[in-house]
Amino acid sequence: MAVQLRQVTIDNWEECISLKVGSGQKGFVASNMYSLVQSRYETSYVPLAVYSDTQMVGFVMYGKDPEDGIYWMVRLMIDEKHQGKGFGREAVLKTLGLIKGLPDCSPYIITSFVPENLTAGQLYQSVGFQETGEIIDGEKEARYYIQSPVH
C-alpha cells in the first residue's frame, strides 16, 4: 500500500469533495467541501488529498495556529469505500512526518476528535497521540509529542 499526500488542485478538487464518510460517521468530521473553503480563508491550513497509488481515498488537513505556533492536524477522513484498509493510519503517519520535517515544527502536534468516534481515538492512540483530558469545541484533544514531554 503506497499512500501519498498530494495537493488539492483544480484537477482533483471535485473528486475530493465527492468523497464521503459512512452514514454513521457524518457528525464526526466536517465535509471536504467545508474544509477546502475553510483553508481558503484560514490560510495557515494546508489541505491534502490522500492517494493509494492513483486512487484518491481520503483527505487530510493540517495547519499552524497563528496565536501559539502549534501545528494541528485538523482533519482526517477516509472515504467509506476505502475504510478499514490502513489508509487512515498511513495518512496520519505521513502527515506527522510532513509536519515534523518543517523548520518551524512545534514541540508537539495537536488533533481533536468527537468523543463518540472511538475508531479515531484508537487510531490516534496507536500512532502515539496522547489524550490531554481537554475538551475543545466538544472534541477530545490529543497531542503527539515530537520529543517526550517533561514530567
Side-chain angles (χ1 to χ4, degrees), residues 145-151:
Y145 290 92
I146 308 303
Q147 299 167 340
S148 297
V150 177
H151 293 289

Side-chain angles (χ1 to χ4, degrees), residues 45-81:
Y45 287 166
V46 179
L48 298 167
V50 178
Y51 280 84
S52 173
D53 298 319
T54 60
Q55 175 74 47
M56 187 184 299
V57 298
F59 176 81
V60 67
M61 187 162 72
Y62 73 90
K64 183 178 179 181
D65 186 319
E67 293 179 18
D68 63 14
I70 303 296
Y71 276 96
W72 280 71
M73 190 175 72
V74 294
R75 296 283 188 287
L76 170 67
M77 74 79 64
I78 300 297
D79 184 80
E80 63 184 335
K81 296 183 298 272

Side-chain angles (χ1 to χ4, degrees), residues 4-138:
Q4 299 172 345
L5 302 179
R6 299 183 192 159
Q7 280 188 302
V8 178
T9 67
I10 194 166
D11 297 318
N12 66 3
W13 72 269
E14 289 181 286
E15 182 179 8
C16 183
I17 65 171
S18 73
L19 300 176
K20 303 285 184 246
V21 294
S23 59
Q25 302 168 318
K26 292 207 188 301
F28 292 166
V29 65
S31 72
N32 292 350
M33 183 181 299
Y34 177 88
S35 296
L36 290 177
V37 171
Q38 186 179 25
S39 72
R40 175 76 167 95
Y41 295 101
E42 295 188 40
T43 56
S44 70
Y45 287 166
V46 179
L48 298 167
V50 178
Y51 280 84
S52 173
D53 298 319
T54 60
Q55 175 74 47
M56 187 184 299
V57 298
F59 176 81
V60 67
M61 187 162 72
Y62 73 90
K64 183 178 179 181
D65 186 319
E67 293 179 18
D68 63 14
I70 303 296
Y71 276 96
W72 280 71
M73 190 175 72
V74 294
R75 296 283 188 287
L76 170 67
M77 74 79 64
I78 300 297
D79 184 80
E80 63 184 335
K81 296 183 298 272
H82 301 286
Q83 292 181 8
K85 300 176 182 176
F87 296 134
R89 179 180 175 79
E90 288 301 311
V92 170
L93 291 171
K94 293 270 186 188
T95 304
L96 292 173
L98 193 153
I99 296 170
K100 288 191 295 188
L102 297 172
D104 62 344
C105 181
S106 46
Y108 54 86
I109 299 164
I110 301 175
T111 196
S112 64
F113 59 95
V114 174
E116 294 80 18
N117 191 348
L118 302 178
T119 302
Q122 291 168 349
L123 168 62
Y124 294 136
Q125 183 179 19
S126 77
V127 298
F129 278 94
Q130 301 171 23
E131 290 184 33
T132 65
E134 297 291 320
I135 302 293
I136 299 171
D137 295 329

